[in-house]
Amino acid sequence: MFEKRMGRFREIKADLLLTVSLICLSLFPFASSSGVNLTQNNSSSIYIVQEDKGILRLISVSPNSGKTRLVYTGALEKGLPVFRKQNLILFKTSKELLLFNLGLGKSETILGSQDAFPGNSGFFKEKPWLLFSRKSNHRWETILYDYEKRKEEKVLPGTQPFLSADHRYVFLIGNEVRYSEHGEDSLRVPIHRYEPETDSLVTIAWVESGKEKLQLLDVYGLSDDLIVVRAATEKENRLYHLTASQGELVKLDKVFYPSKTNEDPKEQFNVSVSSDGKTLAFTERSEGKFGYLVVIDLVLKQRFESAYLGSFPVIKNGVVYFLCDPKFVKGTKDAEYKPYSSYTLYSLDYKKDRIRAITPLSGKAEVLE
């Protein structure tokens, strides 16, 4: 499956069940000494990863004209591209992480990344750092890695790192701690916040897993007083408002911007946060049904639930882009799910709930952030 974020809870299903392989970097026809310089491209371009009949392609798409441009193509091996920063693309292979420089046409292994996973954020904006998680002695740890010096700058406890919009903080899901009281065992999971500028790590909350076997999947620090956690039980996975910030023990019982008809258990996934942290988009669905788009405008403090079906939303320059099969995009949310047979890139004006088809895509596809 094309998933931008590969966490430890892969059992949460996305709308599009895609089984693909990654790029054999040595076969890139564009990986020459001159390469393709993405810094010269229009910053508004949308990047799409496509897999069609065993061939993988990365294309840039103009959101205005729909014109596409091939960035590279190559043969496949297990893995996938996960994050991009100008000319740099971070890849997850079956064994390790690779950093590919399109301008130089070179790739290098991220040291210490054996069996590692990227989190919900990849690169720092102004510093030559990237984030990834790995297991060490059965415990998760997150690495702040300097790709210019090729060394680990910091090792932090926890996984699924998320960078705040101002890149001031890194938020992490900590390792579970077993607690026993009156002969009953329970698991408690810490939420950490790391500030690189001061090199300080604090535990802002402990989440009680309870008897429902709650699993913490992701944490998103959207502002100083707004932290959102995505958690799953056997019945649902949802976004919750974390109501603690001083290390308190809490239960996740405040749903983050619930729907008006919050009756059926909902699945919420494919979360995307805008670069300014003011907008959040995700795919939502009832079990066995098609996914549809939800956008949370944190400035207006309002939930916008689209009538259109779709998956893999990405927010860029205030616009939500997503993928869907054109046969289903105007379908109903209560319809039984069917696999997509083709893909089209759309834009969504979430305030007016209007969509615009930008370009059809060949094969299976996902938007690359």
Side-chain angles (χ1 to χ4, degrees):
M1 177 169 58
F2 281 123
E3 278 189 14
K4 295 183 285 296
R5 303 170 181 93
M6 299 179 64
R8 45 181 170 163
F9 303 101
R10 298 299 298 273
E11 72 273 14
I12 303 302
K13 294 181 181 179
D15 261 6
L16 312 179
L17 300 179
L18 309 176
T19 304
V20 300
S21 303
L22 181 67
I23 301 160
C24 177
L25 294 177
S26 62
L27 298 181
F28 283 172
F30 286 86
S32 62
S33 57
S34 58
V36 177
N37 194 337
L38 293 185
T39 60
Q40 296 176 354
N41 284 1
N42 190 325
S43 61
S44 66
S45 294
I46 310 301
Y47 291 89
I48 305 290
V49 181
Q50 297 176 286
E51 187 270 329
D52 188 17
K53 298 179 181 179
I55 300 298
L56 191 141
R57 304 167 70 238
L58 176 65
I59 63 171
S60 65
V61 181
S62 167
N64 296 320
S65 66
K67 292 183 178 179
T68 63
R69 175 173 179 257
L70 181 65
V71 178
Y72 60 66
T73 184
L76 304 178
E77 284 194 6
K78 293 180 179 179
L80 72 164
V82 283
F83 288 107
R84 182 186 66 86
K85 177 183 178 181
Q86 296 180 333
N87 275 341
L88 300 176
I89 300 179
L90 182 66
F91 291 93
K92 171 72 176 78
T93 74
S94 60
K95 296 181 180 179
E96 58 202 358
L97 301 179
L98 296 176
L99 189 62
F100 184 68
N101 188 315
L102 285 166
L104 299 177
K106 296 181 179 179
S107 64
E108 63 180 36
T109 300
I110 302 299
L111 301 180
S113 67
Q114 291 77 12
D115 299 321
F117 291 93
N120 289 310
S121 298
F123 295 94
F124 281 73
K125 295 177 184 176
E126 305 298 334
K127 298 180 180 179
W129 295 349
L130 58 82
L131 293 161
F132 64 88
S133 298
R134 68 189 180 201
K135 263 195 172 180
S136 178
N137 297 323
H138 306 290
R139 307 286 285 176
W140 284 100
E141 61 186 20
T142 288
I143 311 303
L144 195 159
Y145 183 84
D146 188 318
Y147 53 82
E148 289 187 352
K149 297 179 181 178
R150 301 198 69 194
K151 73 171 188 175
E152 298 177 5
E153 290 287 341
K154 188 72 177 180
V155 179
L156 303 166
T159 186
Q160 292 299 88
F162 175 80
L163 269 170
S164 60
D166 57 8
H167 282 212
R168 181 181 176 185
Y169 298 117
V170 179
F171 292 86
L172 301 158
I173 296 175
N175 292 287
E176 295 173 330
V177 175
R178 188 173 297 278
Y179 177 78
S180 180
E181 185 176 18
H182 306 301
E184 294 185 3
D185 289 344
S186 67
L187 292 175
R188 295 174 175 179
V189 182
I191 303 295
H192 302 306
R193 184 184 66 205
Y194 174 67
E195 185 175 6
E197 192 68 27
T198 60
D199 193 28
S200 61
L201 178 73
V202 296
T203 300
I204 58 177
W206 291 85
V207 178
E208 179 67 67
S209 64
K211 297 180 180 180
E212 294 186 349
K213 298 181 180 179
L214 189 73
Q215 293 180 321
L216 270 61
L217 307 179
D218 305 292
V219 57
Y220 304 96
L222 303 178
S223 66
D224 290 341
D225 58 355
L226 180 57
I227 300 170
V228 177
V229 173
R230 191 169 73 94
T233 66
E234 293 179 354
K235 298 180 180 179
E236 62 184 34
N237 72 86
R238 290 179 178 272
L239 294 167
Y240 294 89
H241 184 185
L242 188 67
T243 56
S245 60
Q246 301 297 321
E248 304 98 319
L249 176 65
V250 298
K251 289 188 176 181
L252 297 178
D253 54 10
K254 186 178 181 181
V255 176
F256 181 67
Y257 284 91
S259 62
K260 294 180 181 179
T261 58
N262 194 19
E263 298 176 357
D264 297 329
K266 293 289 195 301
E267 295 182 6
Q268 298 172 329
F269 49 93
N270 298 152
V271 178
S272 177
V273 180
S274 64
S275 59
D276 60 8
K278 296 179 180 179
T279 313
L280 183 144
F282 53 88
T283 305
E284 182 176 88
R285 71 176 180 184
S286 296
E287 185 177 1
K289 309 298 182 181
F290 274 102
Y292 52 90
L293 304 171
V294 175
V295 181
I296 309 298
D297 190 315
L298 298 174
V299 176
L300 298 177
K301 297 183 178 180
Q302 188 173 347
R303 171 190 168 106
F304 294 87
E305 185 174 308
S306 178
Y308 297 99
L309 306 182
S311 294
F312 301 116
V314 168
I315 305 169
K316 189 165 185 178
N317 298 327
V319 179
V320 178
Y321 299 94
F322 69 98
L323 300 175
C324 194
D325 187 324
K327 295 195 304 291
F328 302 138
V329 70
K330 295 183 180 180
T332 62
K333 302 173 184 177
D334 296 330
E336 293 295 321
Y337 172 76
K338 296 179 181 179
Y340 292 3
S341 59
S342 65
Y343 295 81
T344 291
L345 177 66
Y346 293 90
S347 65
L348 169 68
D349 182 337
Y350 64 87
K351 294 179 182 178
K352 297 179 180 179
D353 199 18
R354 295 178 181 175
I355 63 171
R356 179 175 63 89
I358 297 175
T359 187
L361 303 167
S362 61
K364 303 166 186 176
E366 184 178 318
V367 183
L368 180 69
E369 289 197 83

